[in-house]
């Protein structure tokens, strides 16, 4: 019983009534906004996602092996990945907090990042030119009136992946480390 309460000491369930904690751990302003995003955008795809298992996948969304009890339900997995992204928590730290193996946390991270990529790819569309013009800063209106979007690149350092292929795919000579790269636009 004590181990069960320790497992739940760091969970979405624990923080759902504390919007300040939800904002701190996940970046969502409240539990309601996190829950709405999950229910409207992720619940259906999460029910059909394949859990990443290195070079193979599992159709079980919990990430557990056949015959074992699920380690975390999908919404809790999403919470864990959001904490990892928001705070840069290491896989080891999350594994220790949740009494799971580091490889399970790694599998959750890869699985959910891939799912989020597929779900969110279609959400970012360029606004109409008239909207861009209306919200363009004055200096851009004067110096570059035909500007449609400003693109920047950001690299976030990662833990070194255990897979050599993943190490190769995420290596950055510029940062001299394994990184994830994003191209934010505004």
């Amino acid at each position: 019983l004590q181990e069960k309460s320790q497992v739940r000491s760091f969970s979405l369930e624990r923080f759902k009534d504390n919007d300040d904690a939800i904002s701190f751990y996940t970046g969502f302003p409240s539990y309601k906004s996190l829950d709405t995003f999950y229910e409207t955008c992720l619940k259906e795809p999460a029910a059909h996602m394949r859990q990443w298992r290195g070079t193979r996948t599992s159709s079980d969304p919990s990430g557990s092996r056949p015959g074992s009890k699920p380690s975390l339900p999908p919404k809790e997995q999403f919470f864990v990945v959001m904490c990892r992204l928001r705070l840069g928590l290491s896989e080891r730290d999350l594994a220790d907090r949740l009494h799971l193996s580091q490889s399970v946390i790694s599998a959750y991270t890869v699985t959910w990042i891939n799912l989020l990529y597929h779900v969110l790819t279609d959400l970012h569309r360029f606004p109409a030119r008239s909207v861009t013009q209306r919200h363009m800063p004055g200096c851009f209106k004067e110096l570059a009136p035909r500007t449609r979007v400003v693109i920047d690149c950001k690299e976030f350092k990662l833990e070194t992946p255990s897979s050599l292929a993943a190490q190769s795919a995420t290596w950055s000579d510029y940062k001299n480390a394994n990184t994830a790269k994003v191209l934010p636009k505004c």
Side-chain angles (χ1 to χ4, degrees):
L1 181 65
Q2 183 181 6
E3 186 176 320
K4 206 170 205 176
S5 68
Q6 287 176 346
V7 170
R8 295 175 188 244
S9 68
F10 187 77
S11 67
L12 182 59
E13 185 66 28
R14 173 183 170 201
F15 298 119
K16 75 178 189 179
D17 295 325
N18 184 343
D19 287 343
D20 187 51
I22 292 292
S23 178
F24 174 77
Y25 285 113
T26 69
F28 282 90
S30 65
Y31 174 78
K32 184 177 179 180
S33 63
L34 182 147
D35 186 59
T36 300
F37 177 72
Y38 181 86
E39 293 295 324
T40 58
C41 298
L42 300 176
K43 186 176 183 176
E44 179 65 25
H48 303 290
M49 74 180 169
R50 294 182 157 271
Q51 191 72 36
W52 184 81
R53 287 275 174 224
T55 57
R56 60 188 199 283
T57 58
S58 166
S59 59
D60 180 3
S62 69
S64 61
R65 291 193 168 94
S68 67
K69 291 184 179 178
S71 45
L72 289 179
K75 191 186 274 188
E76 288 288 340
Q77 292 177 28
F78 174 65
F79 170 72
V80 169
V81 172
M82 293 309 299
C83 291
R84 181 156 160 66
L85 293 173
R86 169 78 168 154
L87 300 174
L89 299 176
S90 69
E91 292 172 351
R92 169 79 187 268
D93 179 27
L94 287 166
D96 289 346
R97 289 179 193 223
L98 297 165
H99 304 279
L100 296 170
S101 71
Q102 191 171 338
S103 63
V104 167
I105 300 299
S106 178
Y108 289 167
T109 302
V110 171
T111 300
W112 279 93
I113 294 297
N114 284 327
L115 182 73
L116 288 166
Y117 170 79
H118 289 292
V119 169
L120 298 177
T121 296
D122 292 335
L123 294 182
H124 278 270
R125 301 283 185 218
F126 282 105
R129 185 173 291 278
S130 61
V131 173
T132 303
Q133 290 294 323
R134 191 172 39 237
H135 296 286
M136 188 181 292
C139 62
F140 273 86
K141 287 181 182 177
E142 289 176 27
L143 299 173
R146 297 182 62 199
T147 301
R148 282 287 275 153
V149 66
V150 176
I151 299 175
D152 191 11
C153 183
K154 178 70 177 160
E155 287 188 86
F156 298 94
K157 287 187 179 178
L158 303 173
E159 289 181 49
T160 304
S162 56
S163 161
L164 292 177
Q167 285 180 27
S168 176
T170 60
W171 180 254
S172 169
D173 286 327
Y174 177 69
K175 296 283 186 182
N176 199 28
N178 293 92
T179 63
K181 294 133 184 102
V182 294
L183 288 172
K185 66 181 185 201
C186 58

